[in-house]
Amino acid sequence: MSLNESQMMNFKIKSLLWHSYSFASMVASYIKIKALGTNIAKLEIGSGPHKRKGWLTVDMCNGADVFWDLRKALPFKDASFHQVYCSHVLEHFAYQDLMALLREVHRVLRVGGEFLIAVPDASLYVDAYLGKRDGEELLRYRPAVISSNRMDILNYMFYMDGHHRFMFDAENLAFHCKAAGFSNCVSRPFDSLVDMLSRDYESLYFSCRKTS
């Protein structure tokens, strides 16, 4: 077997093992959710490997309360939560997956419930390209920095070393959330109870309501 064939075989084996592990973890999480019932009314999606007191955290990683692929339908009943939160998550989804996730969040929220959002504000990087602000202070994730040339400031935000797939400013974030069924989609201030101070320099904060 050639080196390339060997590498391909190793990749296929690792991929199979990862998919098997992910499937088993999601099944275990589904069983766990059934046991939890409706005791927790706050949900954080894309939480990463941490827990938040009073919240149910969901992400495709160990450490979250529920291991789940957010490209799939959320494993919760309709109107299960009165608040859903996500921070620097939505920009990682391609458009079709993004809209499916937004509709799922709307589904699991109760009428009157609130969806709190934090995403990178792409308009800050456009301003840097246009020379309206210093772009250097925005380039803090070093693995994604190519150069400080104006176009590469945009490349940094819009691609983020392959991690970003869809970007937002206030106008299109409100537009797409409303398209998913939300109402009263408005900017909100930084909230120290949920938002990360370390990401405040580049964040756009929004609150959306489910009214029907």
Side-chain angles (χ1 to χ4, degrees):
M1 183 180 293
S2 69
L3 179 61
N4 285 341
E5 289 175 336
S6 177
Q7 290 174 330
M8 183 61 70
M9 181 62 71
N10 286 337
F11 174 79
K12 288 180 178 179
I13 291 172
K14 289 179 180 178
S15 179
L16 178 61
L17 289 173
W18 168 248
H19 282 91
S20 298
Y21 172 78
S22 298
F23 178 76
S25 297
M26 289 172 69
V27 170
S29 291
Y30 189 78
I31 295 170
K32 181 179 180 180
I33 291 165
K34 288 289 187 181
L36 284 172
T38 57
N39 294 328
I40 300 177
K42 294 182 178 182
L43 174 70
E44 180 178 0
I45 59 173
S47 62
H50 75 268
K51 301 181 187 297
R52 187 189 293 273
K53 186 176 181 180
W55 294 72
L56 185 68
T57 58
V58 179
D59 206 343
M60 199 171 180
C61 64
N62 293 319
D65 294 317
V66 177
F67 184 104
W68 200 260
D69 184 347
L70 294 173
R71 293 170 298 180
K72 300 183 182 300
L74 294 174
F76 308 108
K77 295 179 180 179
D78 295 357
S80 294
F81 303 95
H82 71 72
Q83 198 168 56
V84 178
Y85 174 73
C86 68
S87 176
H88 290 254
V89 173
L90 300 182
E91 68 274 11
H92 295 280
F93 291 87
Y95 176 71
Q96 296 298 332
D97 291 330
L98 167 70
M99 294 308 297
L101 178 58
L102 290 176
R103 287 190 288 268
E104 277 295 288
V105 172
H106 187 271
R107 179 184 66 79
V108 302
L109 266 178
R110 300 169 187 169
V111 173
E114 183 180 30
F115 182 27
L116 295 172
I117 302 168
V119 290
D121 186 348
S123 71
L124 300 177
Y125 294 83
V126 174
D127 283 347
Y129 174 81
L130 295 173
K132 295 180 180 180
R133 64 177 300 136
D134 179 15
E136 286 284 355
E137 61 95 14
L138 295 171
L139 305 178
R140 301 191 187 184
Y141 178 63
R142 302 314 297 178
V145 176
I146 303 168
S147 78
S148 58
N149 291 326
R150 291 190 303 162
M151 184 55 71
D152 286 336
I153 292 172
L154 293 184
N155 280 323
Y156 169 90
M157 173 47 44
F158 280 80
Y159 297 104
M160 192 55 71
D161 199 29
H163 296 296
H164 285 178
R165 293 185 171 90
F166 200 86
M167 296 311 303
F168 302 94
D169 64 4
E171 182 182 28
N172 82 322
L173 180 56
F175 176 86
H176 294 303
C177 287
K178 288 177 181 177
F182 290 98
S183 303
N184 303 327
C185 299
V186 295
S187 296
R188 64 176 179 86
F190 171 84
D191 183 346
S192 62
L193 295 178
V194 290
D195 297 318
M196 295 184 292
L197 184 60
S198 62
R199 304 299 293 271
D200 186 49
Y201 72 96
E202 65 165 353
S203 292
L204 172 66
Y205 304 110
F206 249 68
S207 169
C208 301
R209 290 282 180 178
K210 179 177 178 177
T211 56
S212 63

mmCIF file of all heavy atoms in Angstrom, residues 100-124:
data_model
loop_
_atom_site.group_PDB
_atom_site.id
_atom_site.type_symbol
_atom_site.label_atom_id
_atom_site.label_comp_id
_atom_site.label_asym_id
_atom_site.label_seq_id
_atom_site.Cartn_x
_atom_site.Cartn_y
_atom_site.Cartn_z
ATOM 1 N N ALA A 100 -31.974 26.848 9.143
ATOM 2 C CA ALA A 100 -32.595 25.691 9.801
ATOM 3 C C ALA A 100 -32.411 25.788 11.313
ATOM 4 O O ALA A 100 -33.343 25.505 12.081
ATOM 5 C CB ALA A 100 -31.996 24.397 9.267
ATOM 6 N N LEU A 101 -31.217 26.200 11.753
ATOM 7 C CA LEU A 101 -30.960 26.328 13.190
ATOM 8 C C LEU A 101 -31.806 27.441 13.801
ATOM 9 O O LEU A 101 -32.376 27.272 14.887
ATOM 10 C CB LEU A 101 -29.473 26.598 13.426
ATOM 11 C CG LEU A 101 -29.047 26.806 14.883
ATOM 12 C CD1 LEU A 101 -29.410 25.606 15.741
ATOM 13 C CD2 LEU A 101 -27.542 27.094 14.962
ATOM 14 N N LEU A 102 -31.914 28.579 13.120
ATOM 15 C CA LEU A 102 -32.732 29.680 13.637
ATOM 16 C C LEU A 102 -34.193 29.251 13.773
ATOM 17 O O LEU A 102 -34.857 29.591 14.769
ATOM 18 C CB LEU A 102 -32.626 30.893 12.720
ATOM 19 C CG LEU A 102 -31.280 31.626 12.708
ATOM 20 C CD1 LEU A 102 -31.306 32.754 11.671
ATOM 21 C CD2 LEU A 102 -30.936 32.176 14.085
ATOM 22 N N ARG A 103 -34.685 28.505 12.798
ATOM 23 C CA ARG A 103 -36.074 28.026 12.897
ATOM 24 C C ARG A 103 -36.241 27.033 14.042
ATOM 25 O O ARG A 103 -37.287 27.009 14.711
ATOM 26 C CB ARG A 103 -36.499 27.402 11.563
ATOM 27 C CG ARG A 103 -36.734 28.436 10.453
ATOM 28 C CD ARG A 103 -37.378 27.813 9.239
ATOM 29 N NE ARG A 103 -36.454 26.963 8.513
ATOM 30 C CZ ARG A 103 -35.684 27.366 7.502
ATOM 31 N NH1 ARG A 103 -35.743 28.628 7.089
ATOM 32 N NH2 ARG A 103 -34.876 26.529 6.890
ATOM 33 N N GLU A 104 -35.213 26.227 14.289
ATOM 34 C CA GLU A 104 -35.263 25.287 15.402
ATOM 35 C C GLU A 104 -35.273 26.026 16.750
ATOM 36 O O GLU A 104 -35.987 25.637 17.674
ATOM 37 C CB GLU A 104 -34.080 24.324 15.342
ATOM 38 C CG GLU A 104 -34.294 23.149 14.419
ATOM 39 C CD GLU A 104 -35.416 22.262 14.920
ATOM 40 O OE1 GLU A 104 -35.234 21.558 15.934
ATOM 41 O OE2 GLU A 104 -36.513 22.289 14.329
ATOM 42 N N VAL A 105 -34.462 27.073 16.859
ATOM 43 C CA VAL A 105 -34.468 27.880 18.083
ATOM 44 C C VAL A 105 -35.856 28.475 18.298
ATOM 45 O O VAL A 105 -36.387 28.466 19.412
ATOM 46 C CB VAL A 105 -33.390 28.985 18.021
ATOM 47 C CG1 VAL A 105 -33.543 29.941 19.200
ATOM 48 C CG2 VAL A 105 -31.999 28.368 18.026
ATOM 49 N N HIS A 106 -36.438 28.994 17.239
ATOM 50 C CA HIS A 106 -37.793 29.558 17.334
ATOM 51 C C HIS A 106 -38.779 28.492 17.798
ATOM 52 O O HIS A 106 -39.639 28.749 18.644
ATOM 53 C CB HIS A 106 -38.217 30.123 15.975
ATOM 54 C CG HIS A 106 -39.513 30.859 15.996
ATOM 55 N ND1 HIS A 106 -40.732 30.214 15.779
ATOM 56 C CD2 HIS A 106 -39.811 32.167 16.220
ATOM 57 C CE1 HIS A 106 -41.706 31.104 15.854
ATOM 58 N NE2 HIS A 106 -41.183 32.290 16.130
ATOM 59 N N ARG A 107 -38.644 27.290 17.287
ATOM 60 C CA ARG A 107 -39.562 26.197 17.649
ATOM 61 C C ARG A 107 -39.483 25.841 19.127
ATOM 62 O O ARG A 107 -40.522 25.632 19.776
ATOM 63 C CB ARG A 107 -39.246 24.945 16.803
ATOM 64 C CG ARG A 107 -40.132 23.743 17.119
ATOM 65 C CD ARG A 107 -39.719 22.519 16.327
ATOM 66 N NE ARG A 107 -38.404 22.018 16.696
ATOM 67 C CZ ARG A 107 -38.151 21.280 17.775
ATOM 68 N NH1 ARG A 107 -39.131 20.966 18.622
ATOM 69 N NH2 ARG A 107 -36.927 20.843 18.027
ATOM 70 N N VAL A 108 -38.263 25.757 19.676
ATOM 71 C CA VAL A 108 -38.125 25.295 21.062
ATOM 72 C C VAL A 108 -38.361 26.403 22.080
ATOM 73 O O VAL A 108 -38.449 26.138 23.280
ATOM 74 C CB VAL A 108 -36.753 24.622 21.309
ATOM 75 C CG1 VAL A 108 -36.560 23.446 20.369
ATOM 76 C CG2 VAL A 108 -35.608 25.611 21.197
ATOM 77 N N LEU A 109 -38.454 27.660 21.620
ATOM 78 C CA LEU A 109 -38.784 28.761 22.526
ATOM 79 C C LEU A 109 -40.284 28.796 22.813
ATOM 80 O O LEU A 109 -41.106 28.496 21.951
ATOM 81 C CB LEU A 109 -38.376 30.097 21.906
ATOM 82 C CG LEU A 109 -37.018 30.682 22.252
ATOM 83 C CD1 LEU A 109 -36.809 31.976 21.474
ATOM 84 C CD2 LEU A 109 -36.865 30.941 23.741
ATOM 85 N N ARG A 110 -40.611 29.208 24.023
ATOM 86 C CA ARG A 110 -42.005 29.455 24.374
ATOM 87 C C ARG A 110 -42.439 30.800 23.810
ATOM 88 O O ARG A 110 -41.609 31.682 23.562
ATOM 89 C CB ARG A 110 -42.169 29.460 25.895
ATOM 90 C CG ARG A 110 -41.761 28.158 26.563
ATOM 91 C CD ARG A 110 -41.693 28.312 28.073
ATOM 92 N NE ARG A 110 -41.152 27.105 28.682
ATOM 93 C CZ ARG A 110 -40.779 27.006 29.954
ATOM 94 N NH1 ARG A 110 -40.878 28.073 30.750
ATOM 95 N NH2 ARG A 110 -40.307 25.871 30.430
ATOM 96 N N VAL A 111 -43.727 30.964 23.593
ATOM 97 C CA VAL A 111 -44.247 32.259 23.175
ATOM 98 C C VAL A 111 -43.897 33.285 24.248
ATOM 99 O O VAL A 111 -44.103 33.054 25.442
ATOM 100 C CB VAL A 111 -45.774 32.195 22.951
ATOM 101 C CG1 VAL A 111 -46.321 33.598 22.676
ATOM 102 C CG2 VAL A 111 -46.094 31.271 21.790
ATOM 103 N N GLY A 112 -43.330 34.395 23.834
ATOM 104 C CA GLY A 112 -42.841 35.403 24.770
ATOM 105 C C GLY A 112 -41.388 35.204 25.135
ATOM 106 O O GLY A 112 -40.788 36.048 25.803
ATOM 107 N N GLY A 113 -40.805 34.086 24.684
ATOM 108 C CA GLY A 113 -39.416 33.783 24.998
ATOM 109 C C GLY A 113 -38.443 34.645 24.217
ATOM 110 O O GLY A 113 -38.780 35.255 23.203
ATOM 111 N N GLU A 114 -37.193 34.686 24.703
ATOM 112 C CA GLU A 114 -36.176 35.569 24.149
ATOM 113 C C GLU A 114 -34.980 34.777 23.641
ATOM 114 O O GLU A 114 -34.503 33.857 24.294
ATOM 115 C CB GLU A 114 -35.710 36.556 25.218
ATOM 116 C CG GLU A 114 -34.698 37.578 24.748
ATOM 117 C CD GLU A 114 -34.283 38.533 25.857
ATOM 118 O OE1 GLU A 114 -34.289 38.123 27.038
ATOM 119 O OE2 GLU A 114 -33.961 39.696 25.554
ATOM 120 N N PHE A 115 -34.507 35.169 22.466
ATOM 121 C CA PHE A 115 -33.296 34.602 21.882
ATOM 122 C C PHE A 115 -32.210 35.662 21.953
ATOM 123 O O PHE A 115 -32.297 36.705 21.310
ATOM 124 C CB PHE A 115 -33.576 34.194 20.435
ATOM 125 C CG PHE A 115 -32.411 33.551 19.721
ATOM 126 C CD1 PHE A 115 -31.420 32.849 20.414
ATOM 127 C CD2 PHE A 115 -32.312 33.620 18.335
ATOM 128 C CE1 PHE A 115 -30.363 32.243 19.756
ATOM 129 C CE2 PHE A 115 -31.261 33.032 17.664
ATOM 130 C CZ PHE A 115 -30.290 32.331 18.361
ATOM 131 N N LEU A 116 -31.191 35.420 22.774
ATOM 132 C CA LEU A 116 -30.075 36.349 22.942
ATOM 133 C C LEU A 116 -28.909 35.895 22.064
ATOM 134 O O LEU A 116 -28.493 34.734 22.127
ATOM 135 C CB LEU A 116 -29.634 36.387 24.402
ATOM 136 C CG LEU A 116 -30.652 36.930 25.405
ATOM 137 C CD1 LEU A 116 -30.153 36.732 26.831
ATOM 138 C CD2 LEU A 116 -30.933 38.400 25.142
ATOM 139 N N ILE A 117 -28.383 36.822 21.280
ATOM 140 C CA ILE A 117 -27.363 36.490 20.285
ATOM 141 C C ILE A 117 -26.140 37.391 20.459
ATOM 142 O O ILE A 117 -26.275 38.585 20.741
ATOM 143 C CB ILE A 117 -27.913 36.694 18.862
ATOM 144 C CG1 ILE A 117 -29.163 35.838 18.625
ATOM 145 C CG2 ILE A 117 -26.855 36.388 17.810
ATOM 146 C CD1 ILE A 117 -29.911 36.209 17.349
ATOM 147 N N ALA A 118 -24.968 36.800 20.281
ATOM 148 C CA ALA A 118 -23.731 37.568 20.114
ATOM 149 C C ALA A 118 -23.001 36.973 18.917
ATOM 150 O O ALA A 118 -22.814 35.757 18.843
ATOM 151 C CB ALA A 118 -22.862 37.500 21.361
ATOM 152 N N VAL A 119 -22.638 37.831 17.964
ATOM 153 C CA VAL A 119 -21.892 37.396 16.779
ATOM 154 C C VAL A 119 -20.802 38.432 16.485
ATOM 155 O O VAL A 119 -20.886 39.575 16.945
ATOM 156 C CB VAL A 119 -22.805 37.261 15.532
ATOM 157 C CG1 VAL A 119 -23.755 36.092 15.662
ATOM 158 C CG2 VAL A 119 -23.552 38.556 15.262
ATOM 159 N N PRO A 120 -19.781 38.049 15.722
ATOM 160 C CA PRO A 120 -18.818 39.063 15.287
ATOM 161 C C PRO A 120 -19.520 40.104 14.414
ATOM 162 O O PRO A 120 -20.349 39.746 13.568
ATOM 163 C CB PRO A 120 -17.795 38.261 14.465
ATOM 164 C CG PRO A 120 -17.979 36.846 14.885
ATOM 165 C CD PRO A 120 -19.421 36.705 15.238
ATOM 166 N N ASP A 121 -19.195 41.352 14.606
ATOM 167 C CA ASP A 121 -19.780 42.437 13.824
ATOM 168 C C ASP A 121 -18.886 42.696 12.612
ATOM 169 O O ASP A 121 -17.847 43.344 12.719
ATOM 170 C CB ASP A 121 -19.897 43.692 14.693
ATOM 171 C CG ASP A 121 -20.636 44.823 14.003
ATOM 172 O OD1 ASP A 121 -20.864 44.728 12.783
ATOM 173 O OD2 ASP A 121 -20.974 45.802 14.686
ATOM 174 N N ALA A 122 -19.298 42.173 11.466
ATOM 175 C CA ALA A 122 -18.474 42.285 10.268
ATOM 176 C C ALA A 122 -18.296 43.731 9.822
ATOM 177 O O ALA A 122 -17.312 44.061 9.152
ATOM 178 C CB ALA A 122 -19.081 41.458 9.126
ATOM 179 N N SER A 123 -19.218 44.602 10.198
ATOM 180 C CA SER A 123 -19.115 46.007 9.776
ATOM 181 C C SER A 123 -17.873 46.677 10.351
ATOM 182 O O SER A 123 -17.321 47.612 9.753
ATOM 183 C CB SER A 123 -20.375 46.782 10.173
ATOM 184 O OG SER A 123 -20.455 46.971 11.573
ATOM 185 N N LEU A 124 -17.384 46.204 11.500
ATOM 186 C CA LEU A 124 -16.160 46.758 12.079
ATOM 187 C C LEU A 124 -14.971 46.502 11.157
ATOM 188 O O LEU A 124 -14.093 47.354 10.990
ATOM 189 C CB LEU A 124 -15.892 46.135 13.449
ATOM 190 C CG LEU A 124 -16.958 46.339 14.527
ATOM 191 C CD1 LEU A 124 -16.560 45.595 15.800
ATOM 192 C CD2 LEU A 124 -17.168 47.822 14.811
#
